[in-house]
Amino acid sequence: MATHLPQDSGKEQGTGMRWRLLFALIGLSITGVSSLGQRPPEAEGLPPQRRDSGDGEELHADYFKPSGVVRFQLVQARICLDAPRHRKGSQSRTENQIYESITVTANRGIPSVHYICETPQQSITLHVQDAQHLRIESHISDDGNGTAQRCVLDQPETGMITLAIGDLTSESAQSYQSSNLLHLRLQTPEIFDKHFARVISRMLHGESLKHLSERTLQAVIAESRQPIVLNQQQVEALIQQLDHPQRRKRVQAERELLSHGTSILPMLHQSLDHDRLSVEQRSCIKAILSRLRPTTPDRPASLAKMLINDASYWEAVIPELSFVQREIADARFTSLGCETTFISNPAPKARLSER
């Protein structure tokens, strides 16, 4: 039976085609947003970026690829789920003794993810609740000493990330904390990489935390020669002012903290772990952390601005620094008002080139 179209159907079809073309162009622009304004490492005087898929030849599921069911990115050295880019549903596959499954649900557009990967040597469970709270649990059947090992990475929306090794109910369990994954990995790199290097590399589309950490350290050294604008005591004073009875004073403190950018993030994250903060202060600090979060993935230069005033990060990388670079770090943290020294730490095992 012939179908008769209305007289204006040609116009409607033409309009539809124009809209589809427009949406396609918008989609392309959104896909490329993460690369806008991002200079290549060579332009920043850094080694070329190296990518390590971490998959080996045995894993081929594309759940985390840009075209997969979910997408992750590293923002302020924390793994974030790119919430708008997800597809609801469940998938699973078994190949070469590898079992993988993923389930994506969503509540009012906010996704939650549950992923499982089981190999003969390791079992990994990854869970993201409401696009915010990330938890990765790894079990290795043989840690090299003939015993099994359990490791849990817990990253809340804000505050400290925790790495727990062993049975959490046992006195022998070890625990590490940091506001970012780069520093957390540096505290126990061998165990961290053994449990999480492969899955994190897959989540970040081949980006290796190890390689990113090496390039970031060089950027931090270069950034360390920049003058200090706000010290620790001044940050603490502004945090106290966030609870001032006068609204004008609270707004003024919030604006001043925001004006100093990501260099104050370590101090803000640490302040959230103190019980002395009021509800008003916690709410303001979380709002500041949210507003300071960029919309593009990390690069060494942006990470350097965030880590430059993080004493715990410097303490973790001290073995990599020359004596002169330790002196620079000492001078910087003395100006920040921190009671710490880097010169008396163990001798460096490898020196970075001094610029």
Side-chain angles (χ1 to χ4, degrees):
M1 179 182 296
T3 302
H4 298 283
L5 298 175
Q7 292 181 356
D8 60 348
S9 62
K11 294 182 180 179
E12 290 181 355
Q13 286 181 327
T15 303
M17 291 181 64
R18 287 196 295 272
W19 275 111
R20 285 195 293 272
L21 177 60
L22 178 60
F23 288 146
L25 291 173
I26 291 174
L28 288 173
S29 65
I30 292 175
T31 303
V33 161
S34 62
S35 64
L36 295 178
Q38 301 248 4
R39 303 170 62 196
E42 296 85 347
E44 298 171 359
L46 300 173
Q49 179 176 347
R50 292 180 290 171
R51 290 190 175 272
D52 177 11
S53 67
D55 296 348
E57 297 181 354
E58 52 192 11
L59 297 175
H60 301 283
D62 57 357
Y63 301 146
F64 302 140
K65 290 184 178 179
S67 58
V69 293
V70 290
R71 181 168 179 173
F72 293 90
Q73 56 189 2
L74 198 68
V75 178
Q76 293 183 345
R78 300 167 76 95
I79 296 177
C80 302
L81 179 64
D82 193 352
R85 301 182 180 184
H86 71 272
R87 296 202 304 268
K88 293 190 294 183
S90 297
Q91 298 182 29
S92 64
R93 61 180 290 148
T94 302
E95 184 177 345
N96 298 329
Q97 295 185 301
I98 310 293
Y99 170 76
E100 287 185 280
S101 72
I102 189 167
T103 299
V104 181
T105 59
N107 182 16
R108 297 182 179 180
I110 301 176
S112 295
V113 179
H114 188 72
Y115 167 78
I116 296 174
C117 179
E118 295 179 353
T119 74
Q121 296 80 29
Q122 184 180 20
S123 174
I124 291 178
T125 301
L126 181 155
H127 186 72
V128 183
Q129 183 64 38
D130 297 330
Q132 296 176 348
H133 194 144
L134 169 72
R135 179 184 172 92
I136 308 177
E137 184 170 341
S138 167
H139 291 260
I140 292 181
S141 56
D142 186 350
D143 64 356
N145 298 316
T147 58
Q149 187 178 70
R150 175 175 181 261
C151 200
V152 177
L153 180 67
D154 190 82
Q155 178 191 277
E157 181 184 8
T158 59
M160 292 295 177
I161 310 171
T162 302
L163 177 67
I165 304 168
D167 186 355
L168 302 185
T169 62
S170 171
E171 296 181 356
S172 62
Q174 297 173 279
S175 181
Y176 303 88
Q177 281 193 328
S178 177
S179 61
N180 66 84
L181 288 173
L182 293 188
H183 174 226
L184 191 66
R185 177 190 168 275
L186 286 170
Q187 295 181 58
T188 174
E190 291 185 4
I191 292 178
F192 188 100
D193 289 346
K194 183 192 300 182
H195 284 271
F196 304 116
R198 173 173 290 184
V199 66
I200 289 179
S201 180
R202 296 185 69 202
M203 294 165 70
L204 301 180
H205 323 300
E207 177 70 271
S208 163
L209 281 186
K210 179 178 182 294
H211 298 158
L212 180 62
S213 181
E214 293 169 353
R215 294 160 51 227
T216 297
L217 178 53
Q218 296 196 29
V220 170
I221 295 299
E223 183 72 19
S224 64
R225 292 176 171 83
Q226 300 299 318
I228 294 170
V229 180
L230 198 67
N231 62 34
Q232 186 173 10
Q233 287 73 25
Q234 291 171 313
V235 172
E236 291 176 355
L238 289 171
I239 290 175
Q240 290 301 316
Q241 192 174 322
L242 292 174
D243 201 31
H244 197 279
Q246 297 181 13
R247 183 180 181 278
R248 177 177 60 84
K249 292 288 187 180
R250 298 197 300 271
V251 172
Q252 181 182 2
E254 184 176 0
R255 286 177 178 173
E256 186 167 349
L257 287 169
L258 281 168
S259 69
H260 292 287
T262 58
S263 63
I264 64 170
L265 287 177
M267 292 172 265
L268 293 180
H269 277 295
Q270 291 171 9
S271 68
L272 287 174
D273 287 343
H274 297 310
D275 296 333
R276 57 181 174 79
L277 293 181
S278 67
V279 174
E280 178 77 19
Q281 288 171 310
R282 289 186 181 277
S283 176
C284 286
I285 290 172
K286 289 182 178 180
I288 292 170
L289 291 173
S290 177
R291 292 179 64 182
L292 288 178
R293 179 173 295 175
T295 57
T296 55
D298 292 330
R299 56 188 176 89
S302 61
L303 286 169
K305 293 184 181 298
M306 181 188 77
L307 296 171
I308 187 64
N309 296 329
D310 190 340
S312 60
Y313 171 81
W314 282 91
E315 290 170 354
V317 299
I318 277 299
E320 308 290 341
L321 305 184
S322 70
F323 184 80
V324 172
Q325 290 164 344
R326 295 182 188 204
E327 286 184 318
I328 294 172
D330 259 353
R332 183 172 190 87
F333 281 90
T334 298
S335 300
L336 283 171
C338 301
E339 297 180 359
T340 185
T341 180
F342 302 103
I343 297 178
S344 60
N345 277 277
K349 61 182 179 183
R351 294 190 176 191
L352 292 175
S353 59
E354 297 171 15
R355 300 192 228 171

